[in-house]
Amino acid sequence: MATVGGNLAHADPANDHPATMLAYGVRLVAEGPGGDTVIEVDDFFVGLFETSLEKDQILKEIQIPRPGPGSGGAYLKIERKVGDYAWLAWRSS
C-alpha cells in the first residue's frame, strides 16, 4: 500500500505519480518548523530519489490545477519488465 504523497516524496522515476504530477503542473505544500512552503513541481524533483524537501519537512498537500474546458490527457505505461519508465502525453486547450 502507498499514498500519492508518499510516492512523490520517494521520487522514484519509475513510479507513475511523479510523471503525472509534472504533466499537470501541480504545486506541493511542505510543512516544517518554519511553517508551510509552496513548491512548484518542477522544483520539487532534484534527482533520482531526491526532492527539495528539507530534512525537517513533510509533504502535506498536493494542489492540482483544474484543467480547462476541452483539456484531456492519456497516460501510457508499457512495461517490458517491472520498473520500466513511463511516458506521458498531455494536451491542454
Side-chain angles (χ1 to χ4, degrees):
M1 296 181 65
T3 65
V4 175
N7 285 334
L8 295 177
H10 187 55
D12 182 347
N15 196 317
D16 298 332
H17 291 117
T20 305
M21 297 303 151
L22 282 163
Y24 273 115
V26 304
R27 294 171 60 170
L28 305 157
V29 180
E31 183 177 355
D36 289 353
T37 304
V38 178
I39 307 167
E40 300 294 330
V41 71
D42 288 335
D43 299 324
F44 185 73
F45 300 108
V46 296
L48 301 175
F49 302 98
E50 186 179 3
T51 70
S52 61
L53 287 172
E54 300 293 332
K55 293 188 184 305
D56 58 358
Q57 289 181 317
I58 186 169
L59 180 60
K60 105 173 188 182
E61 185 178 336
I62 304 165
Q63 300 173 345
I64 303 173
R66 183 180 302 257
S71 296
Y75 186 80
L76 177 63
K77 184 170 183 174
I78 302 171
E79 289 184 301
R80 296 173 307 228
K81 61 182 176 38
V82 173
D84 273 357
Y85 295 103
W87 293 86
L88 188 70
W90 175 254
R91 173 182 59 85
S92 181
S93 52

